[in-house]
Amino acid sequence: MLKLEDSYRHKGQRKELVKVIKKKGITDEAVLAAINTLPRHFFFDSALDSHAYEDKAFPIGEGQTISQPYTVAFQTELLQINPGDKVLEIGTGSGYQGAILHLLGAEVHTIEYQKKLFDKTKKFLTKLGIHLHFYFGDGSKGLADQAPFDKILVTAGAPVVPQSLLQQLSIGGILVVPVGDRKTQKMLRLTKKTAIKIIQEEFENFAFVPLLGAEGWR
Ligand code: SAM
């Protein structure tokens, strides 16, 4: 049986973390509430859980990372999630970001390219009672079978905007994707106003692990 404890200490640390990311500029109250609600230490090995409430990315095995809480909050805020939105997340990783989207009321479809992580995270979130739609494969091409999506979130750094993802966005939909080189990427938000009119906005720089696959780094 999965036995996880969310102590007063953890809750207090979470409150402090929310203060930190608020200070860094996150204003969306629903996003802040979701970060305050979800125990991030559940996503860490118990030996390392003292690091869970630092505003830092952390290794989760297979050379991958759980994103920094500020980054999760930043991307989630840009997505402007409404309850019931059908969201595609590329890069399931630890499942933390997917769980935040779920808490905001989204129907989350999440795809992971690393089989070991896919198996581990699917099992873990299901045990937590967080039911996402899990897929194993190359998310750089999106998920044509399930399209269109109201929102698409890429949680790995892409060399260019994957065109399949733009195609799989509904009209009015939003794609958030970090684009750049292998070291740093600019956060982009693309809003699909009509089938042919896309508005692109640029935000600050981040450092993600690379998006691999057909429309990522090969
Ligand atoms: N969202 C994750 C979380 O909350 O822990 C963090 C994701 S981590 C920064 C990036 C993830 O993207 C890694 O797990 C990596 O294996 C995955 N990834 C890289 N290329 C991918 C692709 N083409 N399709 C799906 N996942 C991919």
Side-chain angles (χ1 to χ4, degrees), residues 35-50:
I35 300 234
N36 194 37
T37 302
L38 185 64
R40 189 167 183 257
H41 66 280
F42 285 3
F43 297 77
F44 282 59
D45 284 345
S46 53
L48 299 171
D49 91 348
S50 60

Side-chain angles (χ1 to χ4, degrees), residues 40 43 57-58 60-68 72 75 89-100 110-115 117-118 121 135-142 153-157 207-217:
R40 189 167 183 257
F43 297 77
F58 214 81
I60 52 172
E62 312 308 313
Q64 301 304 329
T65 52
I66 178 170
S67 298
Q68 183 181 347
V72 171
Q75 290 200 295
E89 179 197 24
I90 320 297
T92 311
S94 68
Y96 179 77
Q97 169 76 75
I100 291 284
T110 184
I111 179 161
E112 174 55 51
Y113 210 21
Q114 297 239 13
K115 185 71 166 75
L117 261 184
F118 165 80
T121 300
Y135 307 86
F136 166 61
D138 176 9
S140 73
K141 298 182 290 186
L153 171 61
V154 183
T155 69
F208 283 85
V209 295
L211 176 74
L212 304 176
E215 295 190 41
W217 294 97

